[in-house]
Amino acid sequence: MEKVAGWYPAWHVALLYWTWLFLFTFGFTGAEITCRSCHSQVKPQHQHPQQGLLMHLRTDRGEKEQRRFPGEKGGERGQGAGMDAEDAGLQAPFDPTLSGAKISGWETRTLKREPEKVAGGSRPGEAAAPAGDHRRRGRGSGRRRRGRSPRGTAGPGGAAGREPGGSGAARFGLEELRLGSTTFALTGDSAHNQAMVHWSGHNSSVILILTKLYDYNLGSITESSLWRSTDYGTTYEKLNDKVGLKTILSYLYVCPTNKRKIMLLTDPEVESSLLISSDEGATYQKYRLNFYIHSLLFHPKQEDWILAYSQDQKLFSSVEFGRRWLLLHEGVAPNRFYWSMMGSGREPDLVHLEAKTVDGHAQYITCRMQNCSEATRSKPFPGYIDHNSLIVQDDYVFVQLTSGGRPHYYVSYRRNAFTQMKLPKYSLPKDMHVISTDESQVFAAVQEWNQNDTYNLYISDTQGVYFTLALENVKSSQGLEGNVMIDLYEVAGIKGMFLANKKIDNQVKTFITYNKGRDWNLLQAPDTDLRGNPVHCLLPYCSLHLHLKVSENPYTSGNIASRDTAPSIIVASGNIGTELSDDDISMFVSADAGNTWRQIFEEEHSVLYLDQGGVLVAIKHTSLPIRHLWLSFDEGKSWSKYSFTSLPLFVDGVLGEPGEETLIMTVFGHFSHRSEWQLVKIDYKSIFDRRCAEEDYRPWQLHSQGEACIMGAKRIYRKRKSEKKCMQGKYAGAMTSEPCVCTEADFDCDYGYERHSNGQCLPAFWYNPSSLSKDCSVGQSYLNSTGYRKVVSNNCTDGVREQYTAKPQQCPGKAPHGLRIITTDGKLTAEQGHNVTFLVQLEEGDLQRSLIQVDFGDGIAVSYANLSSTEDGIKHIYQNVGIFRVTVLVENSLGSDNAVLYLHVTCPLEHVHLSLPFVTTKNKEVNATAVLWPSQVGTLTYVWWFGNNTEPLITLEGSITFTFSVEGMNTITVQVSAGNIILQDTKTIAVYEQFQSLRLSFSPNLDDYNPDIPEWRRDISRVVKRALVEATGISSNHILVAVLPGLPTSAELFILPYQDAPAENKRKTENLEQISETLVQKLKQNFVHFDLKPGVRILVHAAHLTAAPLVDPTPSHSGSAMLMLLSVVFVGLAVFVIYKFKRKIPGLNIYAQMQNEKDQEMISPVSQRESIPNVPQSELMSPEQLVDEKLDVQPIGSISTAAEPQSTKEIPTYVNG
């Protein structure tokens, strides 16, 4: 519910008066589609959407604060909360912001249609926002309209003598008649600024009203009152003592299948409880809650079954109408939970929901309402889906999955396997809204890649897979809640009839269709205006344009209404001219289903339907108090003025009796800005002479500009004769319905075909009609399209039906063509040791009668004689990492085809260590190597950052060579990218022109405590450095110590020419010699030692001194390392000699033969030291060069796996303490 106007101290009361407001009705049968279709846009709310009428206070007489009506957003608020059309009974236009389940780029949206509606421009209390979202307060004033009365009796050319449906002027009676009414004041609630109303209807005389005082400063409800009437609103009883005098109520819910069951929710700021009544609110029982109810979803058939969504995204279920609750699932997406509502009604206790996984992905889950354990859950859609994309509506389930930057939409029909929805190839949708799914067909609005404020309308086949274009460039607008509102309206009571506002050359025009979008035409303007003057408006240059959008702002125009029980009557606001305009808005009515129109008011009025449309009630929009309204008994042809109260009343809202007859109406308002709430009950039964008899009706045939066959049938309805003032009673529907002979007009273009100027449906340039047989097997048959398909729900027979209907055709034998092999998730990467599932796809040919051979590239190959073994995919596990060439060959007696896939098999990268010298000389090449764990990871990318450079170097190799030309401390960072994992390591290197190195050794007992891990070596290096500084008095800036890996424990001491004075360029060589001599002397005298632990003293000794510049300032400086180097040289020479004479050595001959064996089809990683040469820095590529070379784009080809450096313990760890 919105935060609307607050209540102020008494000295402010003089500035306040009531705003206009109307309840709207949701017919439950009609709402079944919308029951969950709009709740994805509901934001988390601190309070719940109200059920029924919510009235607010005015902030200034004559101007209204812009507020939002707390209507129901679909499933959990409309059907879910239990307030349907016959529940509230309010005559209000449908609000598109309250219907539509947005799917991360698409939305289900029910059409602007309901049994009970108010027509007109801005009208009191228009439903415009999700109730309960009270965070947005009133912002400024709504548009103010001056009140003007009708112009009196029509002049020449008026409606006298015309049958309903003509376009003559409306007649207005000057005599004021009196309606029978009673008034009741809600005493003591003058301070309350919000109210909710429930009227059961269906021969029930009970009305419930919940009034509340919402304090906007505190952000909570501080007072509430519950009122109940048992005499249709003549009198009310206050029930505060029955629910608890100190109980503060916040919400009223009504069971949609048993309106005697009422549920009241207390304000959770005080207590979290439910009050339940089974006798229409006469008595209540209180039940405590251990969670805060955010929204409710009632079962469409089982009156005691409820789903409750909590503030912390938990879903609960109850089979006892809220008396007990069971936790179903945690992490449920807001408004993404549904009852199973298939037409067959199977599995009524099945719940569909979208839940968040531990790693943050969204998943579609189904489970039973009393058992949703991990073992009993089902996951109908394989893999993850986009967040907030699940929609369950009638026989269809929709999800969205974005890949490659494009959204892809999937549908499941009758809970079968999901299939990707097929739009025209180059529509490239960026947003989709499912408008309706009734009559076994999906109506969708799609915003394509080149559209911004318009959508294209598409209509599907029965299974919701193949879509064809119905209308282009339908106007859309953005609501305050971010909802997309499509200017499309389905006329109630007439199947296949829609109104849409289309944008043509920056002009918006209204079009009408009678055959579900097969043909669209402009609206013919009335022949005369309200005064009877002729209107010169010639099609197609001038026409009638209607506002189809129900605005989120209740004070802007754009309302339209129709009713199932009055199929021929449409009331709307609009204008006559070349385009739709917000200026000069008038009210229009059509009594013949949109063929002709009549102007009825020059100003905006709210028009309500009474007695199945036999009576129309119009109330003027004005900021002034009123005491009369207008009635029409002849479908808007003439109007009579009636007073409904003796004193002028500021009208806040109107509530009509739910049900088919709707003959009792309650007007909510106040006599002055200080008065109590006044409830005026109006009983219209007195205006009728009697109930209608058969002779009071006349037949009326539905037609479209004279064409009687609509949707393949001729339908004749009965209408009350205009001169009769009898009460109709229950609606009987069409009198007769006779099928028509099929013509070309009953067929639309099939998927892949487009209608040309000559009316023919021909294949689009991108469509290959023969592709329909690609999955067809020899011996079977398929439906060969003629380019046409009959409009769904069209009832025509014979005629051209046989000619235009798709013909069964034997599947042709074809050679395999268009072979593809892909992974199930569409990725080119897989994880070592995990199952990889491959799918084999063929554009043409018969897989079931072909031989399939798959070589996985790792030495393993399989063959299949038919497709049955591969329907669920071909699974394989790779034991090694690398790039594998997967090949598939499909062949039959007519030919063959092959395909190749290069699969990158990796394992997760866990650790990166950057290995490089801690000290080096200026202008000397230095090698840096990234050591990985595990060493065999897969395809990698290395990003190198040097010092303060803003541009990195990118390589596919884990080792680089570089030089430093400036002395000082420099940092090097390497980032290693493996799939979606990026790890990095940073090291510091000291660069000097001269330095010296001294090998250190330790007491043998240190080896007993050496675990040979980097952390231990860093700590010992720091301790040794501190001991050297304490023993010699030399500045720590001259000393760097690095403990080397391995046993016996040793270390490298670096003596650096630290610059003490800023002006001094560098230390002379003799200074380094003096420091070295001091260090060696102290070491020889055993002055350098440290305590490893109590009782364990370690002595530090000097081994030998090396002067810089060095060949490599690493552990290889030692004498033992030099001996090893010489040994390697001699071994290399020996290998060369052996190679030259290998044929004389039998053992080597055997080895050579083994090497000639066939290798596996695998591009495997090799050792870093075997495959990666030293690359000078000047030869490294910049990121731009890498892009030019396409190093990171080519998924296949001759790019070998980037070599992963091998982990070794012979890597020194240097520590600058």
Side-chain angles (χ1 to χ4, degrees):
M1 158 180 57
E2 282 294 328
K3 287 188 177 179
V4 287
W7 188 245
Y8 298 93
W11 63 276
H12 281 159
V13 172
L15 299 177
L16 303 177
Y17 63 98
W18 304 96
T19 58
W20 288 93
L21 220 290
F22 271 92
L23 281 176
F24 60 94
T25 41
F26 290 101
F28 185 71
T29 301
E32 184 171 356
I33 295 178
T34 71
C35 69
R36 299 286 301 161
S37 66
C38 44
H39 60 100
S40 72
Q41 287 289 3
V42 180
K43 296 182 179 180
Q45 304 169 52
H46 298 294
Q47 299 204 35
H48 302 274
Q50 308 276 346
Q51 304 303 314
L53 176 66
L54 178 65
M55 287 169 282
H56 309 299
L57 297 180
R58 298 186 180 184
T59 57
D60 185 25
R61 177 167 299 181
E63 294 191 6
K64 305 168 188 176
E65 185 176 1
Q66 178 177 332
R67 304 188 185 91
R68 299 175 54 79
F69 179 82
E72 305 311 321
K73 290 201 102 181
E76 66 197 62
R77 307 304 190 191
Q79 169 209 335
M83 293 296 290
D84 57 17
E86 299 173 310
D87 191 18
L90 180 70
Q91 319 291 322
F94 180 84
D95 184 355
T97 67
L98 307 181
S99 69
K102 182 81 167 147
I103 304 189
S104 182
W106 66 332
E107 176 176 2
T108 60
R109 181 172 303 284
T110 302
L111 306 174
K112 307 164 191 171
R113 160 185 178 176
E114 64 221 350
E116 305 270 6
K117 298 181 182 291
V118 169
S122 62
R123 54 116 182 65
E126 171 181 275
D133 192 354
H134 58 275
R135 292 168 290 183
R136 176 161 50 285
R137 307 192 180 188
R139 290 177 283 192
S141 297
R143 181 170 56 184
R144 179 179 178 181
R145 301 189 178 277
R146 298 179 181 272
R148 292 179 294 174
S149 61
R151 302 290 179 148
T153 305
R162 295 174 180 262
E163 284 295 323
S167 56
R171 291 176 291 132
F172 293 88
L174 298 179
E175 179 184 1
E176 181 178 307
L177 305 175
R178 173 73 181 175
L179 289 171
S181 64
T182 60
T183 302
F184 185 86
L186 300 183
T187 306
D189 287 353
S190 60
H192 291 190
N193 51 13
Q194 296 177 352
M196 300 175 62
V197 182
H198 161 66
W199 194 342
S200 294
H202 302 283
N203 299 320
S204 173
S205 60
V206 175
I207 302 176
L208 289 175
I209 300 179
L210 173 62
T211 64
K212 300 177 293 183
L213 172 58
Y214 188 86
D215 191 315
Y216 297 100
N217 295 321
L218 299 177
S220 62
I221 300 170
T222 58
E223 293 181 19
S224 67
S225 295
L226 182 64
W227 298 83
R228 185 174 185 262
S229 173
T230 57
D231 52 10
Y232 290 96
T234 303
T235 60
Y236 289 84
E237 177 189 3
K238 199 169 188 178
L239 302 182
N240 285 22
D241 56 337
K242 293 187 178 182
V243 298
L245 294 175
K246 295 184 178 180
T247 299
I248 298 178
L249 303 176
S250 57
Y251 301 96
L252 169 67
Y253 295 96
V254 182
C255 176
T257 54
N258 183 356
K259 300 187 184 302
R260 293 182 59 84
K261 291 189 174 183
I262 309 295
M263 182 180 293
L264 296 171
L265 187 63
T266 62
D267 186 5
E269 302 257 339
V270 180
E271 61 174 328
S272 184
S273 301
L274 284 176
L275 285 88
I276 297 175
S277 173
S278 299
D279 52 10
E280 287 192 282
T283 60
Y284 293 90
Q285 292 178 310
K286 181 180 287 189
Y287 296 88
R288 296 278 183 179
L289 293 174
N290 57 4
F291 64 96
Y292 168 47
I293 293 180
H294 175 275
S295 58
L296 293 178
L297 179 63
F298 287 81
H299 194 276
K301 295 181 179 180
Q302 299 293 331
E303 61 186 54
D304 290 333
W305 293 6
I306 310 175
L307 295 178
Y309 187 70
S310 68
Q311 183 91 20
D312 54 354
Q313 297 189 334
K314 295 178 181 178
L315 187 64
F316 297 82
S317 67
S318 174
V319 295
E320 302 178 55
F321 198 72
R323 293 172 176 85
R324 295 180 183 176
W325 295 94
L326 174 69
L327 176 62
L328 275 188
H329 205 287
E330 299 183 7
V332 178
N335 314 304
R336 299 294 173 178
F337 48 93
Y338 309 83
W339 291 109
S340 183
M341 296 186 299
M342 286 183 55
S344 61
R346 66 182 185 184
E347 300 179 318
D349 64 336
L350 191 67
V351 178
H352 303 257
L353 57 93
E354 177 187 317
K356 186 180 296 184
T357 61
V358 177
D359 54 359
H361 293 95
Q363 202 164 37
Y364 169 30
I365 294 174
T366 61
C367 62
R368 303 291 176 179
M369 66 175 298
Q370 288 293 295
N371 186 3
C372 200
S373 63
E374 185 67 34
T376 60
R377 297 173 192 164
S378 297
K379 300 174 183 176
F381 186 80
Y384 302 125
I385 63 176
D386 287 356
H387 289 282
N388 298 315
S389 70
L390 173 65
I391 294 175
V392 180
Q393 190 162 298
D394 294 330
D395 289 341
Y396 302 90
V397 180
F398 304 93
V399 297
Q400 174 181 316
L401 181 62
T402 300
S403 63
R406 294 182 184 176
H408 302 279
Y409 307 101
Y410 294 84
V411 62
S412 168
Y413 178 64
R414 293 188 178 274
R415 310 306 184 255
N416 293 317
F418 278 88
T419 304
Q420 185 170 352
M421 298 165 66
K422 304 291 186 181
L423 293 166
K425 186 174 183 179
Y426 295 107
S427 62
L428 304 178
K430 58 183 181 181
D431 190 24
M432 176 182 286
H433 301 263
V434 175
I435 295 175
S436 72
T437 54
D438 55 355
E439 298 180 344
S440 298
Q441 191 173 38
V442 179
F443 212 168
V446 176
Q447 188 171 64
E448 302 185 6
W449 63 275
N450 57 349
Q451 293 178 308
N452 293 317
D453 59 350
T454 59
Y455 282 72
N456 290 347
L457 297 181
Y458 285 90
I459 197 163
S460 78
D461 59 353
T462 300
Q463 295 187 354
V465 175
Y466 294 97
F467 285 78
T468 56
L469 182 65
L471 184 65
E472 291 183 298
N473 296 321
V474 178
K475 181 179 177 293
S476 69
S477 58
Q478 195 80 12
L480 296 177
E481 292 294 320
N483 304 58
V484 175
M485 297 181 291
I486 311 295
D487 271 19
L488 178 69
Y489 181 84
E490 181 178 12
V491 178
I494 301 179
K495 181 173 59 178
M497 182 176 174
F498 293 86
L499 291 161
N501 283 332
K502 179 179 179 180
K503 193 172 184 179
I504 305 175
D505 297 330
N506 292 323
Q507 289 185 331
V508 178
K509 301 175 183 288
T510 302
F511 288 79
I512 189 170
T513 179
Y514 293 88
N515 51 11
K516 269 196 171 180
R518 195 309 191 163
D519 301 292
W520 295 86
N521 297 292
L522 293 167
L523 295 179
Q524 177 65 57
D527 294 334
T528 61
D529 62 13
L530 192 62
R531 301 174 183 82
N533 300 321
V535 175
H536 302 287
C537 186
L538 181 64
L539 291 174
Y541 310 103
C542 174
S543 61
L544 174 64
H545 309 285
L546 303 178
H547 289 277
L548 308 179
K549 177 188 68 177
V550 179
S551 174
E552 287 185 290
N553 182 351
Y555 307 107
T556 59
S557 60
N559 300 310
I560 183 169
S562 60
R563 281 192 63 180
D564 288 317
T565 54
S568 64
I569 303 176
I570 309 171
V571 183
S573 62
N575 65 280
I576 299 172
T578 58
E579 63 176 323
L580 182 66
S581 172
D582 290 329
D583 300 324
D584 299 325
I585 296 176
S586 299
M587 298 299 301
F588 298 89
V589 64
S590 174
D592 56 1
N595 286 279
T596 59
W597 295 82
R598 176 185 292 110
Q599 185 181 11
I600 55 176
F601 296 105
E602 286 185 333
E603 297 161 317
E604 293 176 299
H605 282 64
S606 295
V607 180
L608 295 82
Y609 291 78
L610 297 180
D611 189 34
Q612 316 308 322
V615 179
L616 299 179
V617 180
I619 301 179
K620 184 180 178 181
H621 291 169
T622 176
S623 60
L624 301 175
I626 60 174
R627 52 183 298 271
H628 68 268
L629 46 75
W630 295 89
L631 295 183
S632 174
F633 294 87
D634 52 10
E635 300 173 327
K637 179 172 143 182
S638 61
W639 296 84
S640 301
K641 188 176 183 180
Y642 285 81
S643 63
F644 63 91
T645 178
S646 57
L647 295 177
L649 183 75
F650 291 98
V651 177
D652 298 306
V654 178
L655 180 65
E657 175 191 7
E660 293 184 342
E661 297 184 4
T662 314
L663 295 175
I664 298 178
M665 188 171 72
T666 299
V667 178
F668 298 82
H670 59 283
F671 293 128
S672 68
H673 56 270
R674 294 194 176 196
S675 69
E676 309 285 351
W677 292 52
Q678 305 295 324
L679 307 182
V680 181
K681 172 190 171 184
I682 306 173
D683 193 341
Y684 291 93
K685 293 179 182 178
S686 61
I687 65 177
F688 296 102
D689 302 329
R690 54 183 171 81
R691 282 195 174 268
C692 294
E694 191 64 32
E695 60 270 15
D696 296 317
Y697 293 93
R698 64 179 179 87
W700 174 77
Q701 181 168 353
L702 174 66
H703 66 95
S704 169
Q705 301 302 325
E707 174 57 52
C709 286
I710 295 179
M711 293 295 287
K714 296 179 180 179
R715 293 192 288 274
I716 297 177
Y717 299 83
R718 69 173 190 172
K719 285 190 175 186
R720 192 185 62 190
K721 295 178 180 178
S722 59
E723 67 272 13
K724 304 294 183 179
K725 290 185 67 173
C726 55
M727 185 170 61
Q728 297 191 81
K730 291 188 177 181
Y731 174 66
M735 293 174 56
T736 61
S737 179
E738 176 186 349
C740 298
V741 175
C742 291
T743 65
E744 189 270 343
D746 296 307
F747 290 81
D748 205 350
C749 292
D750 203 352
Y751 174 77
Y753 291 81
E754 298 174 338
R755 190 176 301 279
H756 288 244
S757 57
N758 59 3
Q760 289 186 333
C761 294
L762 301 176
F765 75 93
W766 50 266
Y767 183 67
N768 179 14
S770 65
S771 63
L772 290 176
S773 63
K774 68 179 182 179
D775 296 327
C776 195
S777 299
V778 175
Q780 298 178 346
S781 62
Y782 72 101
L783 291 177
N784 186 18
S785 176
T786 62
Y788 299 85
R789 71 182 184 194
K790 193 169 76 167
V791 176
V792 175
S793 301
N794 187 293
N795 297 319
C796 72
T797 59
D798 301 330
V800 300
R801 178 179 179 181
E802 182 66 22
Q803 175 185 348
Y804 282 19
T805 301
K807 306 295 190 299
Q809 185 169 325
Q810 290 294 316
C811 298
K814 294 183 179 181
H817 175 70
L819 179 65
R820 293 179 61 209
I821 180 170
I822 61 173
T823 58
T824 52
D825 57 5
K827 297 180 180 179
L828 297 176
T829 60
E831 193 169 331
Q832 177 188 9
H834 289 69
N835 255 324
V836 184
T837 303
F838 298 95
L839 298 178
V840 177
Q841 299 176 346
L842 199 61
E843 287 188 5
E844 294 183 3
D846 186 5
L847 275 175
Q848 293 187 0
R849 297 177 181 269
S850 301
L851 177 65
I852 304 172
Q853 301 179 35
V854 181
D855 188 339
F856 297 107
D858 61 349
I860 300 176
V862 294
S863 297
Y864 299 92
N866 55 64
L867 182 63
S868 59
S869 302
T870 64
E871 289 178 351
D872 296 328
I874 304 171
K875 301 183 185 300
H876 184 65
I877 297 177
Y878 287 90
Q879 302 297 339
N880 299 307
V881 300
I883 305 178
F884 296 86
R885 185 176 185 267
V886 184
T887 60
V888 59
L889 173 66
V890 176
E891 57 183 347
N892 60 21
S893 59
L894 299 177
S896 63
D897 197 3
N898 59 76
V900 178
L901 172 71
Y902 291 92
L903 184 69
H904 294 238
V905 178
T906 64
C907 67
L909 180 62
E910 299 179 14
H911 179 70
V912 173
H913 171 74
L914 178 59
S915 173
L916 76 162
F918 202 82
V919 183
T920 187
T921 54
K922 187 173 67 172
N923 297 322
K924 178 184 177 298
E925 287 189 349
V926 176
N927 181 269
T929 301
V931 183
L932 311 180
W933 177 261
S935 59
Q936 301 294 323
V937 177
T939 307
L940 303 171
T941 301
Y942 299 84
V943 182
W944 305 86
W945 303 83
F946 298 91
N948 295 324
N949 289 352
T950 58
E951 183 176 308
L953 297 176
I954 302 175
T955 69
L956 297 178
E957 300 173 344
S959 180
I960 62 172
T961 301
F962 53 90
T963 59
F964 292 99
S965 59
V966 179
E967 292 185 89
M969 304 301 293
N970 294 272
T971 59
I972 300 177
T973 299
V974 61
Q975 293 179 327
V976 183
S977 174
N980 59 352
I981 299 176
I982 298 179
L983 299 180
Q984 76 174 33
D985 190 19
T986 300
K987 289 294 183 350
T988 301
I989 183 171
V991 179
Y992 293 100
E993 187 171 346
Q994 295 181 359
F995 66 90
Q996 291 192 347
S997 173
L998 179 65
R999 178 58 63 91
L1000 303 178
S1001 60
F1002 303 93
S1003 303
N1005 57 344
L1006 181 60
D1007 295 343
D1008 298 335
Y1009 302 96
N1010 185 355
D1012 201 14
I1013 60 175
E1015 293 87 346
W1016 185 87
R1017 291 193 290 269
R1018 283 196 293 268
D1019 287 338
I1020 296 298
S1021 298
R1022 185 171 58 254
V1023 172
V1024 172
K1025 179 177 179 179
R1026 185 168 60 245
L1028 286 169
V1029 172
E1030 292 175 354
T1032 63
I1034 297 174
S1035 172
S1036 61
N1037 295 321
H1038 290 284
I1039 300 175
L1040 293 177
V1041 177
V1043 176
L1044 307 178
L1047 296 175
T1049 307
S1050 62
E1052 197 81 18
L1053 170 61
F1054 294 97
I1055 307 166
L1056 307 177
Y1058 179 77
Q1059 293 176 302
D1060 291 327
E1064 187 177 359
N1065 293 329
K1066 57 187 174 181
R1067 290 289 186 182
K1068 296 181 180 179
T1069 304
E1070 52 268 23
N1071 292 340
L1072 290 177
E1073 294 291 345
Q1074 293 175 4
I1075 297 173
S1076 301
E1077 291 177 1
T1078 303
L1079 287 169
V1080 171
Q1081 182 179 4
K1082 295 296 183 180
L1083 289 167
K1084 288 182 178 181
Q1085 295 174 358
N1086 293 330
F1087 285 173
V1088 182
H1089 54 77
F1090 61 92
D1091 292 331
L1092 187 64
K1093 58 187 299 186
V1096 180
R1097 171 161 290 191
I1098 306 299
L1099 296 178
V1100 183
H1101 308 286
H1104 64 272
L1105 183 67
T1106 304
L1110 304 172
V1111 176
D1112 189 359
T1114 66
S1116 60
H1117 301 159
S1118 64
S1120 58
M1122 294 299 296
L1123 291 175
M1124 290 178 63
L1125 179 60
L1126 292 174
S1127 300
V1128 170
V1129 173
F1130 284 115
V1131 170
L1133 292 174
V1135 170
F1136 176 78
V1137 174
I1138 292 173
Y1139 176 78
K1140 296 294 291 182
F1141 301 98
K1142 63 181 178 179
R1143 295 185 179 181
K1144 299 180 181 180
I1145 305 176
L1148 292 182
N1149 285 333
I1150 295 174
Y1151 177 79
Q1153 291 172 8
M1154 292 175 63
Q1155 292 302 306
N1156 289 327
E1157 295 289 339
K1158 179 182 177 181
D1159 294 333
Q1160 296 179 350
E1161 292 289 343
M1162 167 184 169
I1163 307 174
S1164 60
V1166 294
S1167 170
Q1168 176 74 38
R1169 303 187 185 279
E1170 294 174 343
S1171 65
I1172 301 179
N1174 291 339
V1175 182
Q1177 185 176 1
S1178 60
E1179 297 181 10
L1180 292 172
M1181 294 184 180
S1182 65
E1184 292 81 359
Q1185 293 172 319
L1186 281 172
V1187 172
D1188 294 338
E1189 293 293 328
K1190 299 183 180 180
L1191 293 177
D1192 58 345
V1193 176
Q1194 298 290 339
I1196 59 176
S1198 60
I1199 299 179
S1200 62
T1201 304
E1204 296 83 358
Q1206 302 293 330
S1207 177
T1208 174
K1209 291 186 177 181
E1210 296 305 321
I1211 299 175
T1213 302
Y1214 302 104
V1215 176
N1216 185 5

